[in-house]
Amino acid sequence: MRKKVTVVGAGQVGGSCARRLAERDYADIVLIDIVEGLPQGKALDILQAAPIVNYDSDIIGTNDYADTAGSDLVVITSGSPRKPGMSRDDLLAVNQKVITAVTGEIVKHSPDCIIIVVTNPVDAMTQLAWKVSGFPTNRVVGQGGVLDSARYRTFLAQELGVSMRDITGYVLGGHGDQMVPLPRYTSVSGKPITDFIAPDRLEEIIQRTRDGGAEIVNLLKLGSAYEAPGAALVEMIDAILLDQKRVLPCAAYLEGEYGISGVYVGVLIQLGAGGVEQIVDLDLTAAESALLNQSADAVRELVDVMGI
Ligand code: APR
């Protein structure tokens, strides 16, 4: 039997995620939104591409959580996207309400699922979803690092004129502004990135990565990024539903790792059928560790503001 995936929020990110996942051809998908007609229309559109692209994934759109029952995995993209000039944190109050309501419905209808949260500010929203769900921490994970790392690798590959596939590297910490770059763990097919790029230039690329979301918001004006976020989600969904045991940077709940406790922060984790199967405790320098702690403090602040 195919896996069942619910994507909550049939907006830009939810639509991109659903389409990419349908094309992977191993899961049936339920797209749900509060807006009537939107998930139904998007689902039908994606379904009608199936004979051309060649997949048999079933996809339905709905406004009724009963249709999501028994999902193996639920992705939460619902909420308000960041508008120009708006920080991720401005979204907190708006999205707190949405995530609380949505998570309650998910738990009621899919008590055994794994939840991936995308809604910003993602680390805090992931912590909120975990709290509301009552799930163990391994079954609630946030997406941020996979996207930021993809942006980082894209810019590095462009800079060096090498294939995207040959850049290995990732960033930890909070999504976007709070990210913790790790040039020490970045390489071109194993050769350290610092052998190829001068420190100043590397810093510029890191800064562009940090501002990666804002750069797109400023260009699009009417919304935020969705193609790369959708792709990042599907990489995580594959890791879980195909039990790939991928090692990816995601927002996970820390209980003493890196000297941080009681908060969701972007770290390297092993992602498989059990969700967050392991937190990879990397060796960090004092400076890197300080940045990661700053990220954790920023999430704690939001968690306090939300009163959870
Ligand atoms: N239940 C279900 N869907 C909801 C709810 C809710 N309570 N509240 C809002 N939505 C839906 C909206 O109707 C909309 O269709 O969530 C969808 C969000 O889609 P977009 O506005 O297109 O936003 P998108 O660009 O997809 O971004 C999704 O990802 O980048 C983050 O923080 C960003 O929250 C945003 C999320």
Side-chain angles (χ1 to χ4, degrees):
M1 203 169 109
R2 283 169 178 259
K3 296 286 187 182
K4 180 169 178 178
V5 176
T6 288
V7 178
V8 184
Q12 298 283 56
V13 175
S16 161
C17 171
R19 174 178 56 76
R20 287 178 190 275
L21 185 61
E23 289 172 359
R24 307 282 295 126
D25 202 14
Y26 67 78
D28 291 333
I29 302 160
V30 178
L31 200 49
I32 185 164
D33 202 285
I34 38 166
V35 177
E36 280 180 28
L38 177 66
Q40 291 85 348
K42 270 201 187 170
L44 194 56
D45 197 15
I46 293 170
L47 194 65
Q48 289 169 359
I52 303 166
V53 185
N54 265 328
Y55 50 83
D56 292 303
S57 311
D58 188 33
I59 170 159
I60 62 156
T62 183
N63 309 108
D64 181 356
Y65 277 90
D67 293 322
T68 71
S71 294
D72 298 286
L73 191 148
V74 177
V75 180
I76 305 181
T77 78
S78 51
S80 178
R82 198 160 46 137
K83 314 247 164 56
M86 203 178 181
S87 82
R88 285 198 175 84
D89 302 354
D90 293 338
L91 291 174
L92 191 70
V94 180
N95 286 344
Q96 179 176 5
K97 279 202 192 109
V98 173
I99 299 303
T100 302
V102 162
T103 306
E105 292 290 343
I106 291 169
V107 171
K108 201 158 100 194
H109 294 90
S110 301
D112 299 319
C113 72
I114 291 175
I115 298 176
I116 303 179
V117 180
V118 190
T119 307
N120 280 314
V122 67
D123 310 84
M125 288 301 129
T126 308
Q127 180 131 354
L128 175 63
W130 165 67
K131 257 287 165 56
V132 174
S133 70
F135 284 4
T137 54
N138 64 300
R139 288 207 278 130
V140 184
V141 61
Q143 194 266 105
V146 173
L147 173 60
D148 289 331
S149 302
R151 288 179 172 151
Y152 179 54
R153 289 162 59 205
T154 302
F155 297 146
L156 289 172
Q158 276 187 332
E159 176 77 8
L160 296 176
V162 302
S163 168
M164 307 275 177
R165 284 167 296 189
D166 296 327
I167 306 280
T168 309
Y170 45 84
V171 303
L172 305 185
H175 180 38
D177 320 349
Q178 293 285 332
M179 119 198 161
V180 180
L182 291 179
R184 286 189 311 122
Y185 292 107
T186 308
S187 74
V188 183
S189 294
K191 197 164 159 51
I193 196 73
T194 43
D195 290 359
F196 298 93
I197 303 183
D200 287 4
R201 182 63 190 135
L202 187 54
E203 193 39 56
E204 284 172 13
I205 290 171
I206 288 169
Q207 192 54 44
R208 188 174 178 201
T209 306
R210 214 172 256 131
D211 298 335
E215 184 177 355
I216 292 179
V217 168
N218 289 331
L219 289 165
L220 291 179
K221 300 198 172 61
L222 290 173
S224 48
Y226 56 94
E227 287 296 354
L233 273 171
V234 171
E235 184 167 55
M236 291 173 68
I237 297 170
D238 277 358
I240 294 168
L241 294 184
L242 304 178
D243 194 22
Q244 290 173 333
K245 315 282 186 202
R246 293 290 308 278
V247 178
L248 297 170
C250 304
Y253 190 77
L254 297 189
E255 289 170 287
E257 299 88 351
Y258 302 99
I260 297 169
S261 276
V263 72
Y264 269 84
V265 187
V267 289
L268 263 195
I269 60 167
Q270 189 173 64
L271 205 53
V276 181
E277 296 185 347
Q278 203 190 317
I279 309 258
V280 180
D281 217 346
L282 279 176
D283 239 359
L284 297 186
T285 63
E288 290 161 352
S289 180
L291 280 178
L292 193 62
N293 271 280
Q294 273 176 29
S295 271
D297 288 344
V299 183
R300 274 196 199 99
E301 257 173 51
L302 299 182
V303 166
D304 286 349
V305 173
M306 289 192 289
I308 59 166

